[in-house]
């Protein structure tokens, strides 16, 4: 699903010879600097601080994960980047070298649940976002066919979401997000509602899909194993309020297998780091 734009999320396109702000390098897709987000509390004089001084960067074409405990503000951060939520301090800069003339970056969003329109067919769910993004109608057939084939759902165009399994519905949601040819793909715990076997297969399939689609990805999860397997780098987030306390580069060659010992060893190290910070904040 495409995201909405908030006025305080800045979109910057690079032009040949155009000087960029020092904090934004040419390869950066997302730059967040000292971001703070507060929510009002009914009857309270002070607002609740959800995100405090969050700084991170995502380079173009990279898979970056944010890992943190449930309820720490990871989804809120994605919503701020998407422009669905505003923020109180700091800056969010979306930078792209998109070749679409005069276009702002396209942001695809895959939510925890598929959020499909159950009264529309699978192909019409994709048509819905293509129309919203003003993609030329003559390209719809090609984009629907290519992205449903990419997620393994060729032949399901005329089916309805309620006739599909949970895993198949989430595949439609991924195809829908990819159909707009996003510069940036936001994924908010997209496999958390699936059973363990289906989720494992979806992670493997996602890696194959993204080798072809190649968007920049910011992926939210509370599963360190998932993050290590999928990511090029990981930002680890604490809570009360949420802060980034560690960034880890994952220098493990692809393709990867979940049972690789180097992945398991790194996961164990990060689990220790994560719980030491969480326990210190309790």
């Amino acid at each position: 699903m495409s995201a909405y734009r908030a006025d305080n999320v800045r979109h910057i396109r690079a032009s040949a010879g155009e000087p960029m702000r020092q904090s934004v390098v040419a390869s950066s897709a997302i730059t967040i600097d000292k971001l703070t987000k507060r929510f009002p509390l009914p009857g309270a004089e002070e607002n609740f601080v959800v995100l405090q001084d969050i700084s991170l960067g995502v380079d173009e074409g990279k898979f970056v994960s944010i890992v943190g405990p449930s309820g720490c503000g990871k989804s809120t951060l994605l919503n701020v980047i998407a422009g669905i939520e505003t923020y109180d301090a700091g800056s969010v800069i979306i930078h792209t070298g998109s070749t679409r003339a005069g276009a702002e970056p396209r942001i695809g969003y895959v939510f925890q649940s598929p959020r499909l329109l159950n009264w529309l067919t699978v192909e019409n769910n994709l048509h819905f976002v293509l129309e919203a993004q003003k993609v030329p109608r003559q390209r719809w057939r090609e984009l629907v066919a290519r992205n449903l084939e990419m997620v393994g759902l060729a032949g399901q165009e005329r089916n309805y979401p309620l006739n599909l399994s949970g895993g198949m519905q989430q595949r439609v949601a991924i195809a829908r997000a990819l159909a707009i040819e996003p510069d940036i793909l936001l994924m908010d715990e997209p496999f958390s509602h699936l059973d363990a076997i289906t989720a494992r297969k979806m992670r493997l399939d996602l890696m194959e899909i993204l080798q072809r689609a190649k968007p920049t990805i910011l992926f939210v999860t509370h599963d360190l194993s998932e993050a290590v397997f999928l990511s090029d780098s990981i930002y680890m987030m604490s809570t009360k309020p949420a802060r980034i306390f560690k960034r880890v580069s994952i220098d493990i060659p692809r393709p990867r297998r979940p049972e690789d010992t180097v992945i398991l060893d790194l996961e164990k190290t990060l689990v220790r780091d994560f719980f030491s910070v969480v326990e210190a904040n309790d």
Side-chain angles (χ1 to χ4, degrees), residues 5-280:
R5 178 185 172 188
D7 289 338
N8 57 354
V9 176
R10 296 181 57 202
H11 295 71
I12 295 179
R13 296 183 68 248
S15 300
E18 177 185 354
M20 301 297 297
R21 279 183 46 180
Q22 187 173 1
S23 61
V24 183
V25 297
S27 63
S28 177
I30 302 171
T31 302
I32 299 175
D33 186 38
K34 296 182 179 179
L35 176 73
T36 296
K37 168 68 178 176
R38 303 181 182 93
F39 282 119
L41 288 174
E45 293 184 4
E46 295 185 357
N47 293 334
F48 174 64
V49 180
V50 181
L51 305 171
Q52 184 165 313
D53 291 334
I54 300 291
S55 295
L56 61 85
V58 182
D59 287 344
E60 290 182 6
K62 297 298 184 181
F63 193 123
V64 176
S65 288
I66 300 173
V67 177
S70 295
C72 75
K74 303 185 300 296
S75 297
T76 299
L77 179 57
L78 281 197
N79 288 339
V80 167
I81 294 168
I84 297 171
E85 292 276 2
T86 59
Y87 55 93
D88 298 285
S91 63
V92 178
I93 299 174
I94 308 298
H95 167 78
T96 182
S98 174
T99 58
R100 294 187 303 274
E104 292 180 352
R106 283 183 182 161
I107 300 178
Y109 205 144
V110 181
F111 298 93
Q112 293 181 29
S113 57
R115 298 195 184 187
L116 303 176
L117 303 175
N118 291 325
W119 59 92
L120 296 180
T121 62
V122 166
E123 67 178 354
N124 284 337
N125 269 274
L126 273 64
H127 290 169
F128 183 83
V129 297
L130 292 171
E131 182 173 19
Q133 286 292 315
K134 298 181 173 57
V135 176
R137 188 175 291 267
Q138 61 266 28
R139 295 202 61 210
W140 288 12
R141 182 190 294 266
E142 166 216 342
L143 290 168
V144 169
R146 182 207 308 165
N147 286 284
L148 288 181
E149 186 277 330
M150 195 183 298
V151 300
L153 290 177
Q156 298 292 333
E157 291 84 352
R158 303 299 174 86
N159 210 342
Y160 285 87
L162 292 179
N163 294 332
L164 305 177
S165 68
M168 293 172 74
Q169 289 182 29
Q170 197 65 320
R171 288 172 187 270
V172 175
I174 293 171
R176 178 181 60 186
L178 292 174
I180 66 170
E181 299 181 309
D183 301 292
I184 296 167
L185 181 61
L186 306 177
M187 305 187 79
D188 185 6
E189 300 190 46
F191 311 135
S192 60
H193 292 176
L194 304 177
D195 63 85
I197 294 174
T198 302
R200 175 189 168 95
K201 186 175 189 311
M202 288 288 290
R203 292 182 198 110
L204 291 168
D205 290 346
L206 179 63
M207 287 293 89
E208 293 185 12
I209 291 166
L210 297 177
Q211 285 299 307
R212 288 182 277 173
K214 298 186 184 302
T216 300
I217 299 164
L218 188 58
F219 187 94
V220 155
T221 181
H222 58 259
D223 186 334
L224 273 166
S225 175
E226 180 174 67
V228 172
F229 173 64
L230 293 172
S231 307
D232 296 307
S233 62
I234 299 172
Y235 286 94
M236 300 176 71
M237 182 181 285
S238 65
T239 187
K240 299 180 181 178
R243 293 182 174 89
I244 300 294
F245 68 88
K246 186 168 188 173
R247 179 186 180 277
V248 182
S249 293
I250 312 297
D251 298 320
I252 301 173
R254 302 180 188 274
R256 302 170 182 169
R257 301 296 301 177
E259 63 275 8
D260 286 349
T261 55
V262 65
I263 290 178
L264 298 176
D265 289 344
L266 180 55
E267 178 192 348
K268 290 176 185 176
T269 300
L270 295 182
V271 166
R272 287 196 299 269
D273 293 346
F274 181 76
F275 278 105
S276 67
V277 172
V278 170
E279 290 170 0

